[in-house]
């Protein structure tokens, strides 16, 4: 890359468009941009070229309004002296992609890395919303390490059904139980689900979408207050404009993800996740983001730094309210301000605003104490993830904010044995097996049964599926027993209110302990001791290994084969093995193409 004799820092895009050492190559790079009306003066001006990573499409309804928001991003980029270039990213739609959208997170990451590295972009606005669009974008930005900023799309307006709040996702899990118990019919089930989605935007509950966008803000990668603004509010377009302006400033100031995504920033995000009652999917996604940022985030950090944090956000599924009121109460900044004032947040961390976390939170106190509780009067004490291990797995988590009083009383409140439960396992190999047999009387499922699902991890599914939040058989639901202890090597929806033990690693398909569990075995869960074990002799476990790992479906696509051959376990973020070796690759420009 040649030096700029004007004294200004030479931008990356100038190596394409204003390369005096290779005028012939500059001509090739410039020529085709002319065919839709852009001028060579613009591209050769030395103004920052800002990519808009467009995640909105008809295949991604949760992010679709980014198609409109991008116009305001463009306005902000232009007004700040930059040149916007919009491009599509791989679609990821949690609700609809089969066999699971988790399969596509790493694929979207790969595609975005190649775009950010191989094209003449000086910075990028990452448009996010639906669950995995946020981690895939930040994973890629960390790998390439050009100036980047997150613009989330925001949640839908609050849903209402028959006079009650209807939270997206959460209303489906709750209505499933009512349907199985005979309390509603199929039409009523569908009505409740449709009523939970009243506008543009992603889930209005504190599911994975709201969680991951909140954590992007907690990490310092989006403007203060961005995450919780409902998609339909005018402030969302205003935030898009300001984000576009700030993207240009980040390039001029050379502020990159590596300056912001530190271990302290990730620990802040872990704490915020506990305080908002965030999704269990935050664990693999945050781990993946840390890996690609070159930050050591250990599995036990979730308990060491997050478990003692109280639940402050009274938002479904852990609470009562939805995203619209959460935003009006103060949103993510108000949560962070509570943590900061309690000494639980590192306020010195830098952010994309150009100010520290503490500076961003000045004057951002909560204005609705029914929705955002004070730190010393929380909805629940110690609301973070419990980290468990034992002979069934080396790592799994349990979302304690989802443990209801009834669940705690039935399973965890035995005098003298608080936090300890033993039950008989019923094992299912994949969700098809679960749906086919859950109501089989021969299984003898009662309120002391522990439901186990395996073959649901990154290798087994493939991709790791949201199937661990299994509901009890119909005969128990009709008796009012709405949840049983559940364990699995897959994930569960962030909108689910089930206190499952999940993300078990290593998974069954990798030879983890769940592979050797049998229906009828007794499992002992000790939450205080952080243990989960099958009470089976070691010799018997060794004998069972001769039976081999339970079979899983064959690869159905070329990507599934590549994914299975490269993916790590959920405890490590389910990343591509070796991909974290590539960091800061924008430092050296790619080779010319002719």
């Amino acid at each position: 890359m040649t030096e700029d004799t004007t004294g200004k820092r030479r931008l990356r895009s100038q190596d394409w468009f204003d390369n005096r050492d290779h005028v012939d190559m500059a001509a090739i790079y410039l020529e085709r941009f002319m065919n839709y009306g852009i001028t060579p003066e613009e591209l050769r001006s030395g103004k920052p070229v800002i990519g808009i990573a467009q995640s909105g499409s008809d295949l991604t309804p949760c992010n679709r309004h980014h198609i409109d928001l991008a116009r305001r991003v463009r306005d902000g980029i232009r007004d700040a002296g930059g040149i916007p270039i919009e491009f599509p990213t791989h679609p990821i739609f949690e609700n609809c992609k089969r066999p699971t959208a988790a399969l596509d997170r790493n694929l979207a990451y790969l595609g975005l890395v190649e775009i950010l590295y191989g094209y003449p972009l000086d910075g990028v606005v990452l448009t996010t919303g639906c669950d995995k669009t946020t981690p895939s974008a930040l994973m890629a930005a960390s790998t390439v390490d050009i100036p980047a900023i997150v613009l989330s799309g925001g949640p839908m307006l609050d849903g209402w059904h028959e006079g009650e709040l209807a939270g997206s996702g959460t209303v489906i899990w709750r209505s499933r139980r009512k349907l199985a118990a005979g309390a509603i019919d199929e039409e009523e089930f569908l009505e409740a689900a449709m009523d939970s989605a009243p506008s543009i935007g992603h889930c209005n509950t504190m599911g994975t979408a709201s969680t991951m966008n909140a954590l992007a803000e907690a990490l310092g990668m989006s403007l203060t207050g961005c995450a919780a603004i409902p998609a339909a509010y005018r402030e969302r377009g205003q935030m898009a404009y300001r984000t576009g302006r700030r993207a240009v400033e980040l390039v001029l100031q050379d502020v990159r993800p590596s300056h912001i995504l530190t271990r302290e920033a990730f620990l802040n995000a872990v704490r915020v996740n506990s305080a908002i009652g965030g999704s269990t999917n935050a664990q693999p996604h945050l781990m993946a983001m840390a890996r690609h940022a070159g930050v050591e985030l250990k599995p036990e950090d979730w308990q060491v730094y997050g478990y003692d944090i109280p639940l402050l956000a009274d938002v479904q599924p852990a609470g009562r309210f939805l995203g619209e009121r959460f935003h009006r109460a103060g949103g993510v900044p108000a949560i962070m301000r509570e943590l900061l004032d309690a000494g639980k947040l590192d306020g010195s961390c830098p952010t994309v605003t150009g100010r520290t976390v503490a500076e961003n939170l000045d004057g951002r106190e909560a204005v609705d104490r029914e929705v955002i509780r004070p730190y010393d009067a929380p909805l629940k004490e110690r609301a973070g993830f419990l980290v468990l291990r034992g002979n069934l797995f080396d790592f799994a988590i349990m979302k304690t904010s989802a443990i209801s009083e009834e669940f705690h009383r039935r399973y965890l409140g035995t005098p003298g044995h608080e936090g300890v439960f033993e039950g008989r396992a019923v094992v299912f190999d994949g969700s098809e097996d679960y749906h086919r047999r859950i109501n089989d009387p021969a299984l003898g499922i009662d309120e002391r049964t522990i439901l186990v699902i395996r073959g649901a991890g990154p290798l087994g599914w493939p991709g790791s599926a949201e199937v661990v939040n299994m509901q009890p058989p119909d005969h128990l639901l009709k008796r009012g027993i709405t949840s049983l202890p559940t364990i699995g090597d897959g994930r569960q929806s962030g909108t689910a209110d089930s206190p499952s033990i999940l993300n078990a690693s290593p998974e069954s398909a990798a030879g983890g302990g769940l592979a050797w569990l049998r229906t009828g075995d007794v499992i002992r869960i000790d939450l205080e001791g952080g243990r989960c074990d099958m009470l089976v002799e070691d010799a018997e476990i060794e004998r069972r290994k001769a039976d081999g790992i339970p079979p899983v479906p064959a690869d159905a696509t070329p990507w599934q084969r590549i994914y299975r051959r490269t993916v790590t376990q959920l405890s490590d973020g389910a990343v591509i093995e070796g991909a974290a070796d590539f960091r800061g690759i924008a430092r050296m420009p790619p080779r010319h193409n002719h």
Side-chain angles (χ1 to χ4, degrees):
M1 190 179 293
T2 58
E3 292 186 8
D4 191 327
T5 56
T6 65
K8 283 173 55 179
R9 184 174 62 84
R10 187 166 170 81
L11 299 180
R12 187 171 183 267
S13 60
Q14 290 179 277
D15 198 57
W16 275 259
F17 298 136
D18 191 32
N19 193 326
R20 283 156 286 181
D21 294 336
H22 292 283
V23 175
D24 56 338
M25 296 309 305
I28 289 175
Y29 302 138
L30 281 164
E31 175 257 338
R32 205 51 55 95
F33 281 100
M34 304 301 104
N35 73 4
Y36 68 91
I38 199 166
T39 66
E41 302 92 81
E42 290 172 277
L43 295 178
R44 301 188 74 195
S45 65
K47 294 179 178 179
V49 177
I50 307 296
I52 303 173
Q54 179 56 267
S55 63
S57 73
D58 290 353
L59 273 180
T60 314
C62 298
N63 294 35
R64 192 182 186 281
H65 57 297
H66 275 304
I67 296 171
D68 297 320
L69 289 175
R71 298 189 185 99
R72 294 299 290 144
V73 177
R74 285 175 173 273
D75 291 343
I77 292 170
R78 281 287 182 185
D79 285 356
I83 300 168
I85 292 185
E86 187 176 344
F87 59 88
T89 61
H90 182 83
I92 312 179
F93 179 27
E94 182 64 43
N95 295 36
C96 209
K97 175 65 198 305
R98 295 160 68 174
T100 171
L103 191 65
D104 284 19
R105 189 202 65 185
N106 291 352
L107 185 58
Y109 152 78
L110 282 177
L112 187 52
V113 166
E114 292 301 317
I115 292 169
L116 298 182
Y117 174 66
Y119 283 92
L121 301 173
D122 299 307
V124 63
V125 174
L126 305 166
T127 67
T128 68
C130 190
D131 300 13
K132 293 153 192 68
T133 58
T134 307
S136 66
L138 283 169
M139 289 157 62
S142 294
T143 296
V144 183
D145 202 30
I146 61 173
I149 187 170
V150 168
L151 173 67
S152 52
M156 295 182 287
L157 300 177
D158 290 358
W160 292 88
H161 177 69
E162 296 182 346
E164 295 184 355
L165 284 169
S168 47
T170 300
V171 75
I172 292 178
W173 313 127
R174 294 174 180 175
S175 295
R176 270 185 178 178
R177 299 170 196 149
K178 293 179 181 178
L179 181 66
I184 60 173
D185 61 26
E186 291 181 0
E187 281 304 310
E188 290 171 304
F189 180 95
L190 290 171
E191 257 182 52
M194 300 310 111
D195 286 348
S196 72
S199 76
I200 57 173
H202 60 65
C203 288
N204 48 29
T205 46
M206 194 57 72
T208 308
S210 291
T211 297
M212 294 314 302
N213 291 301
L215 298 191
E217 184 173 330
L219 284 166
M221 287 301 296
S222 61
L223 295 182
T224 307
C226 178
I229 301 170
Y233 276 26
R234 66 183 182 187
E235 289 87 350
R236 182 51 67 186
Q238 294 167 345
M239 181 60 72
Y241 174 80
R242 291 172 183 137
T243 299
R245 288 192 64 95
R246 185 59 189 154
V248 176
E249 295 166 358
L250 289 171
V251 172
L252 296 177
Q253 297 164 9
D254 193 26
V255 178
R256 290 172 275 120
S258 58
H259 300 144
I260 295 167
L261 295 175
T262 62
R263 174 166 166 81
E264 291 73 25
F266 277 98
L267 294 180
N268 278 349
V270 167
R271 297 179 183 108
V272 169
N273 185 70
S274 299
I276 62 176
S279 167
T280 49
N281 289 310
Q283 178 265 318
H285 292 328
L286 213 62
M287 294 295 289
M289 290 153 58
R291 291 286 178 271
H292 289 288
V295 171
E296 184 185 15
L297 191 64
K298 295 171 283 190
E300 55 267 28
D301 286 337
W302 289 93
Q303 184 156 337
V304 173
Y305 295 96
Y307 179 54
D308 287 333
I309 299 296
L311 178 63
L312 304 180
D314 195 349
V315 178
Q316 295 182 24
R320 297 173 293 168
F321 302 107
L322 295 175
E324 197 175 352
R325 190 163 169 188
F326 176 65
H327 164 65
R328 293 202 304 267
V332 177
I335 293 286
M336 293 180 69
R337 179 58 188 265
E338 288 295 322
L339 295 175
L340 182 70
D341 289 348
K344 298 296 183 180
L345 216 59
D346 188 331
S348 68
C349 291
T351 72
V352 292
T353 68
R355 298 181 293 275
T356 65
V357 166
E359 290 169 335
N360 289 339
L361 300 179
D362 186 37
R364 302 305 290 253
E365 293 84 0
V367 296
D368 181 348
R369 285 304 189 182
E370 192 175 15
V371 181
I372 297 178
R373 305 290 185 88
Y375 189 89
D376 57 2
L379 198 65
K380 181 176 290 189
E381 299 281 359
R382 304 176 81 192
F385 297 161
L386 271 173
V387 175
L388 303 170
R389 53 183 48 84
N391 63 7
L392 286 172
F393 40 73
D394 296 336
F395 170 88
I397 59 170
M398 185 178 189
K399 180 178 176 179
T400 58
S401 63
I403 299 176
S404 67
E405 290 183 13
E406 187 270 339
F407 187 93
H408 189 279
R409 184 173 58 253
R410 186 172 351 124
Y411 299 114
L412 306 172
T414 304
H417 298 278
E418 289 83 359
V420 178
F421 173 73
E422 290 185 8
R424 172 180 169 272
V426 171
V427 183
F428 300 100
D429 286 301
S431 66
E432 297 87 352
D433 185 32
Y434 161 76
H435 288 296
R436 185 172 59 250
R437 295 197 297 133
I438 184 61
N439 287 311
D440 184 351
L443 292 178
I445 298 174
D446 60 21
E447 57 266 42
R448 305 296 294 175
T449 299
I450 298 175
L451 303 180
V452 180
I453 191 166
R454 62 190 179 194
L459 295 173
W461 195 259
S464 76
E466 295 185 339
V467 294
V468 181
N469 49 311
M470 298 170 284
Q471 70 183 32
D474 294 356
H475 76 273
L476 290 182
L477 290 168
K478 290 172 182 176
R479 288 175 44 200
I481 297 173
T482 59
S483 60
L484 292 175
T486 56
I487 300 173
D489 54 12
R491 301 173 297 112
Q492 75 178 28
S493 170
T495 64
D497 55 3
S498 171
S500 307
I501 295 171
L502 38 79
N503 300 2
S505 307
E507 63 183 294
S508 170
L514 290 177
W516 323 121
L517 185 68
R518 302 291 183 261
T519 291
D521 289 344
V522 174
I523 295 176
R524 188 173 194 268
I525 301 169
D526 179 358
L527 298 188
E528 294 300 317
R531 299 284 305 182
C532 184
D533 296 280
M534 54 177 158
L535 303 185
V536 177
E537 295 291 335
D538 291 344
E540 172 60 16
I541 293 173
E542 288 301 314
R543 189 198 65 75
R544 292 177 183 181
K545 290 182 179 181
D547 297 336
I549 292 171
V552 297
D555 299 326
T557 66
W559 170 242
Q560 286 188 17
R561 178 166 295 176
I562 295 169
Y563 178 90
R564 275 176 158 151
R565 288 178 177 178
T566 59
V567 72
T568 66
Q569 290 292 289
L570 286 171
S571 58
D572 191 52
V575 296
I576 297 171
E577 187 71 55
D581 296 342
F582 298 85
R583 283 194 293 274
I585 58 177
R587 286 192 300 268
M588 292 294 294
R591 299 171 68 187
H592 290 292
N593 60 18
H594 282 76

